[in-house]
């Protein structure tokens, strides 16, 4: 986490919650992360709610996956197309990448 505090001010920090259980298990680290200005927090609805119950984050954007029902980006509902999913592994990461590729999040990003 130390490197996050050493990043240039223009660096955009994105944080993905990967499992509800990881919120309680990593509360000390998440508390440190909550002290930073974040560009994006993303995860499924249960993960985001678990995080919000424990900590307040200063973030510009929130992306909540609803699985087959689409997503909510900054309180804007985005519907998902009807498909037959064979494997949903990595679906959340793909959703974030897709939104970046569409310039829905229209910023110059600096990856650390």
């Amino acid at each position: 986490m130390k490197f996050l505090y050493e990043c240039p001010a223009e660096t955009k920090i994105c944080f993905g919650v990967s499992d509800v259980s990881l919120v309680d298990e990593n509360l000390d680290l998440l508390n440190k992360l909550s002290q930073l200005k974040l560009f994006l927090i993303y995860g499924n609805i249960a993960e985001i709610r678990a995080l919000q119950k424990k900590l307040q984050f200063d973030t510009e954007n929130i992306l909540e996956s609803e699985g087959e029902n689409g997503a909510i980006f900054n309180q804007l509902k985005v519907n998902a197309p009807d498909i037959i999913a064979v494997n949903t592994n990595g679906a959340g990461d793909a959703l974030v990448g897709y939104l970046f590729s569409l310039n829905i999040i229209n910023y110059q990003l600096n990856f650390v």
Side-chain angles (χ1 to χ4, degrees):
M1 291 268 307
K2 181 181 174 187
F3 73 93
L4 291 175
Y5 294 97
E6 298 169 352
C7 291
E10 66 275 5
T11 301
K12 304 297 181 185
I13 301 170
C14 301
F15 175 69
V17 185
S18 60
D19 190 279
V20 173
S21 68
L22 295 176
V23 173
D24 284 331
E25 292 174 14
N26 295 286
L27 207 49
D28 288 340
L29 287 173
L30 291 172
N31 188 43
K32 291 176 185 174
L33 185 63
S34 73
Q35 306 305 309
L36 299 171
K37 173 76 173 172
L38 300 178
F39 176 69
L40 172 69
I41 293 176
Y42 64 95
N44 67 40
I45 288 186
E47 294 162 349
I48 296 296
R49 295 295 180 269
L51 190 63
Q52 290 173 329
K53 283 181 184 178
K54 301 289 182 175
L55 298 164
Q56 293 283 48
F57 281 86
D58 182 14
T59 184
E60 294 179 42
N61 301 286
I62 298 176
L63 174 62
E64 300 171 278
S65 171
E66 295 185 317
E68 66 185 20
N69 296 318
I72 299 170
F73 178 68
N74 292 340
Q75 301 180 357
L76 174 68
K77 174 73 173 147
V78 180
N79 294 318
D82 286 332
I83 62 166
I84 297 172
V86 176
N87 184 332
T88 60
N89 190 27
D93 295 330
L95 174 63
V96 171
Y98 180 70
L99 290 176
F100 278 124
S101 75
L102 292 176
N103 290 320
I104 289 175
I105 303 173
N106 193 16
Y107 284 92
Q108 177 69 33
L109 296 177
N110 297 313
F111 292 94
V112 184

